[in-house]
Amino acid sequence: MNQLSDYHRDRVQAVLNACPLVPVIAIKDPDDAVPLCQALVDGGIRVLEITLRTEHGVRAIEQVRKAIPDAWVGAGTVTSIAQYRQVESAGAQFVITPGVTEAILEFGVTSEAALLPGIATVSELMMGYAFGYREFKFFPAEVAGGRPALKAFAGPFPDVTFCPTGGINRTTAKDYLALDNVKAVGGSWLTPADAIAEKDWGRVTDIARQSLTGL
C-alpha cells in the first residue's frame, strides 16, 4: 500500500490553514464563475471549492485558476478517478470527495492535486488513515452526528483534523471551529442561490466578510 507523502499533507494543510471558511460553489451559469469567486475573494475568502454538481464545474475551475491566481482553487463532489483526472487537468490544486473508496484514496496518494477525502464514520476514517491521510472532510456533518461526533473522533484519533461540511450555517460555523480538531468549515450559505441568480456580487462579498468577522 502506497503512503501519502509529506508533500501532499503539506498541501492539504496549507489549504485548510488558508481560510477557516470554504464556500461550496455550484456553477449553473458559466458566466458567473469568475465574478462569483472574485466576490468571495473580495470578502476575504482564500479557498474556493468549485463542485462538480453541475456540468460547468470543470470549466469553471480552469477559468477561476487563470483569473484569480492568488486563491486556492479546488474541486468538490469528485466521485470517480475519471473526474479526479479531469479536474487535475483543469488546474485544481486540491480535490474534495463526499465519501471514500479505496481506489480514490490510492489515486490521491500520488496525484498532483492533494486530496481531502470525505468521511462520515470511524470505519471510513480508518481506511483513509491506513493510507496516511490525517485531514478529512466530515460530511454530511449535521446528519452524521455534528459536533458530538467530532468530539468523539478526537479520542482515538488525536492527530486527525477535519473540515466539516453539510448543514452548517453562518451561526453554527463558529461552534464547529471552536473544536480543537476542526481546521475549517465548508458551507453553501456563502453562495446563496438568490444572490447568484440576481448577480448581486456585492451581497456575496458582504456575506463572506461578515461571516469571517463573526468567527
Side-chain angles (χ1 to χ4, degrees):
M1 179 186 292
N2 292 323
Q3 286 287 307
L4 198 69
S5 68
D6 289 341
Y7 165 80
H8 285 82
R9 282 208 63 201
D10 289 346
R11 293 276 286 185
V12 169
Q13 288 172 354
V15 171
L16 296 180
N17 288 331
C19 188
L21 300 180
V22 180
V24 177
I25 302 165
I27 301 297
K28 294 183 179 178
D29 180 346
D31 291 338
D32 290 344
V34 172
L36 170 58
C37 289
Q38 186 62 61
L40 289 163
V41 171
D42 289 346
I45 300 296
R46 292 291 173 263
V47 178
L48 304 168
E49 178 194 349
I50 300 175
T51 70
L52 301 191
R53 295 180 184 183
T54 73
E55 61 184 317
H56 306 299
V58 175
R59 175 63 181 143
I61 290 165
E62 203 169 14
Q63 291 175 310
V64 174
R65 279 282 281 135
K66 290 175 182 174
I68 314 175
D70 293 337
W72 285 97
V73 181
T77 325
V78 173
T79 59
S80 69
I81 302 298
Q83 288 181 331
Y84 206 133
R85 290 194 174 105
Q86 274 187 306
V87 298
E88 272 191 316
S89 297
Q93 295 166 292
F94 62 91
V95 165
I96 301 178
T97 62
V100 290
T101 64
E102 191 169 338
I104 285 179
L105 288 168
E106 189 160 12
F107 188 83
V109 167
T110 57
S111 66
E112 183 63 29
L115 174 62
L116 183 70
I119 64 103
T121 67
V122 170
S123 296
E124 292 166 331
L125 191 161
M126 288 174 66
M127 193 193 315
Y129 198 95
F131 280 93
Y133 292 93
R134 298 294 183 270
E135 288 78 28
F136 295 90
K137 169 182 177 174
F138 180 52
F139 176 83
E142 287 287 279
V143 174
R147 294 173 67 246
L150 289 168
K151 286 181 181 179
F153 288 169
F157 302 101
D159 56 342
V160 169
T161 55
F162 297 93
C163 175
T165 304
I168 300 172
N169 57 42
R170 184 169 153 186
T171 304
T172 57
K174 184 176 182 180
D175 297 330
Y176 276 92
L177 288 166
L179 298 176
D180 290 339
N181 60 350
V182 171
K183 279 287 187 184
V185 170
S188 56
W189 84 87
L190 293 157
T191 54
D194 57 343
I196 295 171
E198 296 164 11
K199 302 190 187 299
D200 190 349
W201 309 129
R203 183 180 161 208
V204 173
T205 296
D206 288 344
I207 290 170
R209 185 177 293 120
Q210 290 164 11
S211 295
L212 286 167
T213 302
L215 297 179

